[in-house]
Amino acid sequence: MTRSKILLDLVNDSNSLESVLFRLKIILSDLNNKEINQWLDYEIHGYPESENVPDYRIITGLPKGTYILGSQYNGLQHTNSNIPINHIPNDIKDSLLNLYLRDGISGIYSLTDKDAQIGKPVPTEFCYTISRPGLMILGMNIIYSENQLHGVLANIGEKLFFIS
């Protein structure tokens, strides 16, 4: 199997990205390049907690949920709305909004096959701690776009062009 065959498969999408990763792993295993083989393993099987994920696998979501603007008794309740969180420190905001995709390639594909929104719930006690006078957050989820997942898959495919 030649480099040009793998590249054609990527461009034509005749094989899944997972299949191309497996084929490339077999071809490159003889090179004994630990760094490339490690990357291929992580992309296929997922990144362990002990490893940092590459930047292209970090996606940023939007905080959506229910909150009361104003006082509890004299406020306006917003439901299924973007929640204003500009008042919280950037490091906490990044930790809250960012999702580190550790799943293997098949796990990411399975997320794109669902009709449901992709999100992570935020514990109620955390909502309470980031509430402030005039803004009571009752419940929140961080919502991620399916397009972001397709972007991750595209980045993996692009990296394959440079390896193969």
Side-chain angles (χ1 to χ4, degrees):
M1 192 163 322
T2 64
R3 175 180 192 252
S4 59
K5 172 74 171 121
I6 291 175
L7 292 176
L8 278 173
D9 287 345
L10 277 172
V11 171
N12 294 329
D13 200 22
S14 61
N15 288 326
S16 74
L17 189 54
E18 183 177 25
S19 171
V20 171
L21 285 166
F22 273 116
R23 288 174 29 214
L24 191 59
K25 182 171 172 52
I26 291 167
I27 292 169
L28 295 178
S29 64
D30 294 339
L31 294 179
N32 292 326
N33 185 324
K34 184 179 178 182
E35 185 177 326
I36 290 175
N37 286 325
Q38 185 80 68
W39 178 80
L40 288 167
D41 278 341
Y42 288 161
E43 292 300 334
I44 293 168
H45 302 293
Y47 285 78
E49 288 291 327
S50 60
E51 292 294 323
N52 291 328
V53 298
D55 287 344
Y56 61 85
R57 278 179 159 263
I58 302 170
I59 59 176
T60 303
L62 293 172
K64 290 190 100 96
T66 302
Y67 64 96
I68 297 174
L69 199 55
S71 74
Q72 180 177 359
Y73 305 105
N74 224 2
L76 182 60
Q77 181 169 321
H78 298 266
T79 304
N80 196 24
S81 298
N82 291 342
I83 296 180
I85 59 168
N86 287 333
H87 63 283
I88 64 175
N90 285 337
D91 57 336
I92 295 173
K93 192 181 332 179
D94 289 345
S95 173
L96 177 66
L97 299 178
N98 289 342
L99 178 64
Y100 297 81
L101 288 169
R102 296 188 172 281
D103 302 77
I105 195 80
S106 63
I108 296 173
Y109 269 119
S110 73
L111 290 173
T112 64
D113 289 340
K114 300 188 183 211
D115 288 334
Q117 281 188 327
I118 303 150
K120 67 178 179 182
V122 176
T124 305
E125 58 271 13
F126 185 77
C127 292
Y128 176 76
T129 63
I130 63 171
S131 291
R132 64 179 185 191
L135 174 67
M136 184 185 316
I137 302 171
L138 304 176
M140 176 174 27
N141 289 302
I142 308 303
I143 305 300
Y144 303 93
S145 163
E146 186 178 331
N147 290 338
Q148 291 174 298
L149 298 174
H150 288 292
V152 170
L153 295 170
N155 275 305
I156 295 169
E158 183 180 329
K159 296 215 174 288
L160 287 173
F161 278 105
F162 297 108
I163 292 175
S164 59

